[in-house]
Amino acid sequence: MRKMCPNFDRDDALETVLEVPIPEEMFAGFGNSAALRWQNMATWMKAQTPDKWSSPIIAGRYNEMSFLLYIVGSPVLPFQIQVDRCIQRPVRNSSIEASTAKYIVQQYIAATGGQPALNAVHSMCVLGNVKISGSEFHQGNENVKVRSNQDAGGFVLWQKNPDLWCLELLISGCKVISGSNGKLSWRQSSNQQRPISKGPPHPRATANLFIDAVCIGEKIINDEDCFILKLETNPAMREAQSGPKYDIIHHTIWGYFSQRSGLLVRFDDSRLLSVKTSKEDGDVYWETSTESVIEEYRYVDGVNIAHGGKTVFTVMRYGEQSANHKRECVEMWKLEEVDFNVAGLKPEFFMPPTE
């Protein structure tokens, strides 16, 4: 990935560090030679001002990213690669299904390096690349076909215990930022054309997320025998995660843990949201389903962490005055660098930007 940009004003000047590294594939699209690519990239960077965002092409790209962030939610990247300390819950007076789930979670903790190794990690920084493709909205329940062309980009994820994270994503000529300071989550685009979107924080650590789940059975995922953990979020959690313009009516998550390795190999998420509109039109409902395959586990400083994955988002929109529409998006991500215990990373870094 490209991390440095040459200084085009002075040959003897130092190179500029890119805020978000870009993958070679994205860099190659700027021209046929290295010099031309850097010049075109510099021109593109200088064009990222509010007056340029009236362009239909750029506006379309921004709407694509807005769709992923505001309807589907933040990319699943922070959830899949976060390391955090785990909550301990007693198994006494629990059902067999709940006790089994707690045992599977403990096996997952051991498979990822064990509690001492996880407790030794206080913060992390991750660099990676991502590819996103999607379909157009199709009316009715007909099958949708994802476009063959993919948009490539890069991302940087900062994380600090407990529950602090910030994700910067640069893709399709757009930069989008999302994060949480532990009290609320926020999302914003670099063009400042839309206000910051704020909401309650979302749980990110795998072990903590499934600590209240139940084991509902077994399933083979990619030739792996897996246990299935299921969690139905309670009304209090749904109310806490709802916003002023939308309500979460239903939210269920499933985790598929390998019986052989103990690792999480797939994560599914299903949500039903009611989005408030004008009284004349009535509410519009969004139903999202996510299937995320997690793979390429590798040890970094004693912690076994996933280095790649693929997520398929399916979105349905319907309501009294809205025709049924369906859309599908595919996201593939891969980690390039992982660093733990970043020096000087303070909680103030995760505060939402000023409006």
Side-chain angles (χ1 to χ4, degrees):
M1 298 184 71
R2 300 277 175 164
K3 302 177 184 178
M4 309 291 289
C5 178
N7 189 306
F8 296 101
D9 298 324
R10 293 180 53 187
D11 294 335
D12 59 343
L14 296 175
E15 295 182 320
T16 302
V17 179
L18 298 174
E19 289 186 356
V20 180
I22 62 172
E24 291 293 337
E25 182 178 345
M26 181 178 176
F27 179 71
F30 282 105
N32 296 324
S33 64
L36 180 60
R37 290 168 185 168
W38 283 121
Q39 291 287 353
N40 289 339
M41 181 176 174
T43 303
W44 171 78
M45 293 172 66
K46 293 177 181 179
Q48 302 304 300
T49 55
D51 60 301
K52 304 295 191 304
W53 283 82
S54 58
S55 165
I57 296 178
I58 296 180
R61 295 296 193 187
Y62 173 66
N63 290 335
E64 185 85 7
M65 295 301 103
S66 295
F67 171 78
L68 289 173
L69 284 176
Y70 286 80
I71 301 301
V72 176
S74 299
V76 295
L77 298 167
F79 169 79
Q80 307 300 352
I81 58 183
Q82 179 162 354
V83 176
D84 201 356
R85 296 184 178 182
C86 303
I87 302 171
Q88 300 292 334
R89 295 282 175 84
V91 298
R92 183 181 300 176
N93 300 325
S94 298
S95 66
I96 295 177
E97 294 82 2
S99 299
T100 302
K102 290 178 175 59
Y103 173 78
I104 294 171
V105 169
Q106 291 302 314
Q107 292 297 106
Y108 167 78
I109 295 173
T112 53
Q115 198 64 65
L118 297 179
N119 288 345
V121 177
H122 305 288
S123 63
M124 68 185 297
C125 177
V126 170
L127 304 181
N129 60 70
V130 63
K131 296 179 181 179
I132 296 178
S133 57
S135 70
E136 303 295 336
F137 268 114
H138 292 263
Q139 189 167 346
N141 295 320
E142 61 185 84
N143 293 330
V144 295
K145 184 177 181 180
V146 176
R147 294 190 298 266
S148 58
N149 59 310
Q150 296 177 325
D151 293 317
F155 66 88
V156 179
L157 171 66
W158 304 86
Q159 186 261 329
K160 182 178 178 65
N161 293 340
D163 300 328
L164 306 179
W165 60 273
C166 178
L167 173 70
E168 298 179 76
L169 175 67
L170 180 63
I171 189 170
S172 299
C174 309
K175 182 181 179 182
V176 287
I177 309 172
S178 60
S180 174
N181 65 354
K183 298 180 180 179
L184 58 84
S185 61
W186 48 271
R187 297 181 293 269
Q188 185 187 36
S189 170
S190 59
N191 66 5
Q192 301 289 332
Q193 290 299 293
R194 294 191 178 187
I196 299 172
S197 174
K198 297 181 180 179
H202 302 285
R204 290 286 175 182
T206 303
N208 293 345
L209 187 62
F210 286 102
I211 196 64
D212 292 321
V214 294
C215 182
I216 61 172
E218 304 176 18
K219 187 174 182 178
I220 298 177
I221 303 294
N222 294 335
D223 298 326
E224 286 270 359
D225 292 327
C226 297
F227 292 114
I228 308 173
L229 299 193
K230 179 181 179 181
L231 177 65
E232 295 273 5
T233 57
N234 57 53
M237 183 180 296
R238 293 196 300 270
E239 182 178 356
Q241 293 184 0
S242 297
K245 295 184 178 181
Y246 66 93
D247 294 317
I248 299 178
I249 301 174
H250 179 77
H251 188 193
T252 306
I253 60 175
W254 297 264
Y256 299 82
F257 294 81
S258 169
Q259 298 181 15
R260 177 183 58 84
S261 66
L263 296 170
L264 178 69
V265 297
R266 178 170 148 180
F267 173 81
D268 291 355
D269 182 292
S270 176
R271 291 190 303 166
L272 177 62
L273 294 82
S274 172
V275 180
K276 299 177 177 64
T277 59
S278 61
K279 293 182 179 179
E280 293 78 10
D281 295 336
D283 291 350
V284 174
Y285 296 91
W286 292 85
E287 184 176 359
T288 68
S289 62
T290 303
E291 294 183 3
S292 183
V293 176
I294 305 103
E295 52 195 6
E296 296 184 38
Y297 279 90
R298 279 180 260 159
Y299 278 94
V300 177
D301 296 337
V303 177
N304 199 5
I305 189 169
H307 279 66
K310 177 181 178 180
T311 301
V312 178
F313 304 101
T314 303
V315 181
M316 289 284 293
R317 183 184 66 188
Y318 51 90
E320 292 184 1
Q321 302 296 326
S322 174
N324 294 353
H325 289 82
K326 184 178 181 180
R327 187 178 188 185
E328 187 173 288
C329 295
V330 177
E331 172 194 81
M332 292 185 293
W333 56 272
K334 184 176 182 179
L335 304 190
E336 299 290 343
E337 295 184 17
V338 179
D339 291 308
F340 293 140
N341 298 328
V342 182
L345 190 60
K346 299 181 179 180
E348 291 77 12
F349 176 81
F350 301 91
M351 296 298 293
T354 56
E355 299 190 39

